[in-house]
Amino acid sequence: MVQWTAEERAAIQAVFAKLDYESVGLESLTRLLVVYPWTRRYFGGFGNLFNSEAIMANPKVAAHGTVVLQGLEMALKNMDDIKNTYASLSELHSEKLQVDPGNFQLFGDCLTVVIATRMRTEFTPDIQAAWQKFLAVAVSALRKQYN
Amino acid sequence: MLSNTEKELIVQIWDKMLPVAEEIGSEALLRMFTTFPKTKTYFSHLDISPRSEHLRCHGKKIVQALAEGARNISTLTTTLAPLSRFHAYQLRIHPTNFKLLNHCILVTLACHMGENFTPVAHAAIDKFLSAFSAVLAEKFR
């Protein structure tokens, strides 16, 4: 089981408290699709994903960004058992969506960059470390059902 | 593959970072050491505590090398040849670590530039850092 210090829990809660799910979700997903264009393969039904402006204005991307952030909130609310919390989500991503799990890490990186642009100097190295540990646990749980 | 617009953007960004090279470089390193503690194993010979002289000096070197690379993107292999040999034959850093520092450089730029670190700038810098690291790791084997 993952051990969290009181400081880590506080840091992760602090980051979440600042997150506007719609705005951060949209921008993180946009960055994923712009910085790592191969990820567009999973969003064939989303319409215009040709460039940064089109993606940011795409309502399907916005909706999906919110869904992903809400998924992360589930992990936040069950920090001591993320593995089991994510069991069905993991199965969904591996069996139905068939997403290469390497892309989970990339989304996490983009989300971290968005948080950094919003929180700026408040996103200290210690807060970043706690946040990235949380993301690593979430990503690992999402990979669990792949076989 | 970098477009001409991306190359210009990359030069612009690193030119802005050069005057604060110590601050940016030491912050990126500190973020890397804090988030990925195993990276500290390569620095047992230095004092890498926050705001230490070694950390600031080393951070500055890294940003200066990146700015130099940005100004010579089409000749990265020749420009970085000495650094490339150094990383291969003396430092012998496990290649996965380049990605960790690159990510922390991106986060540092994002913190400093805020919304000016647009998705397009993010993509350009990420591609540049990947190309830069690839040259540094070229002689590994």
Side-chain angles (χ1 to χ4, degrees):
Chain A
M1 208 191 80
V2 184
Q3 302 293 344
W4 304 100
T5 64
E7 289 83 11
E8 284 171 335
R9 287 181 198 270
I12 295 157
Q13 300 277 2
V15 171
F16 257 95
K18 298 209 155 68
L19 293 185
D20 166 355
Y21 290 8
E22 275 101 26
S23 164
V24 170
L26 169 61
E27 201 182 323
S28 303
L29 200 45
T30 297
R31 283 176 189 263
L32 179 73
L33 297 166
V34 167
V35 182
Y36 309 109
W38 56 87
T39 55
R40 296 176 202 186
R41 75 189 304 281
Y42 301 110
F43 300 95
F46 274 34
N48 188 354
L49 297 179
F50 294 131
N51 56 44
S52 180
E53 292 75 22
I55 298 170
M56 277 292 275
N58 187 319
K60 289 187 172 175
V61 176
H64 197 68
T66 309
V67 164
V68 177
L69 270 275
Q70 286 168 341
L72 274 175
E73 188 190 58
M74 266 168 51
L76 174 77
K77 294 194 162 134
N78 297 276
M79 268 176 72
D80 293 311
D81 194 14
I82 296 179
K83 191 167 78 177
N84 285 320
T85 306
Y86 270 12
S88 54
L89 254 185
S90 180
E91 210 180 294
L92 172 75
H93 282 76
S94 75
E95 301 298 309
K96 186 157 176 265
L97 304 175
Q98 304 203 314
V99 178
D100 184 329
N103 295 305
F104 301 143
Q105 172 77 48
L106 300 184
F107 178 80
D109 288 348
C110 288
L111 174 57
T112 304
V113 168
V114 172
I115 290 169
T117 62
R118 311 278 175 113
M119 287 180 69
R120 309 204 55 181
T121 50
E122 275 180 45
F123 194 54
T124 63
D126 285 331
I127 292 182
Q128 180 189 350
W131 173 252
Q132 299 224 205
K133 178 175 165 180
F134 170 75
L135 283 181
V137 173
V139 165
S140 166
L142 216 44
R143 297 179 83 118
K144 244 340 181 237
Q145 303 301 327
Y146 278 76
N147 50 27
Chain B
M1 229 177 47
L2 288 165
S3 69
N4 287 331
T5 320
E6 284 173 321
K7 289 181 192 178
E8 276 166 31
L9 196 46
I10 292 163
V11 170
Q12 263 172 41
I13 290 173
W14 288 112
D15 274 349
K16 271 207 205 88
M17 297 300 139
L18 256 186
V20 284
E22 251 184 41
E23 199 186 318
I24 300 290
S26 61
E27 187 182 321
L29 282 171
L30 183 60
R31 287 182 181 279
M32 184 181 71
F33 295 141
T34 318
T35 306
F36 310 108
K38 61 166 185 156
T39 54
K40 293 191 284 189
T41 59
Y42 292 98
F43 294 88
S44 49
H45 59 295
L46 292 182
D47 166 20
I48 49 171
S49 52
R51 291 175 299 279
S52 77
E53 188 52 44
H54 286 167
L55 189 69
R56 298 182 67 80
C57 180
H58 201 72
K60 186 177 183 183
K61 272 192 230 174
I62 291 175
V63 171
Q64 286 174 332
L66 286 165
E68 177 76 13
R71 277 181 253 114
N72 296 280
I73 284 185
S74 30
T75 54
L76 267 186
T77 309
T78 1
T79 310
L80 299 178
L83 262 182
S84 182
R85 275 192 298 271
F86 186 55
H87 281 75
Y89 305 132
Q90 272 156 273
L91 299 180
R92 289 174 294 186
I93 295 175
H94 194 295
T96 52
N97 292 301
F98 289 121
K99 277 202 189 140
L100 304 182
L101 181 57
N102 289 347
H103 172 69
C104 291
I105 291 170
L106 290 176
V107 171
T108 304
L109 289 177
C111 286
H112 281 259
M113 294 174 63
E115 59 183 24
N116 291 323
F117 193 57
T118 61
V120 170
H122 178 173
I125 298 283
D126 192 49
K127 288 200 270 185
F128 168 68
L129 291 175
S130 301
F132 196 97
S133 315
V135 171
L136 288 185
E138 218 168 47
K139 300 178 167 54
F140 276 34
R141 56 176 175 171

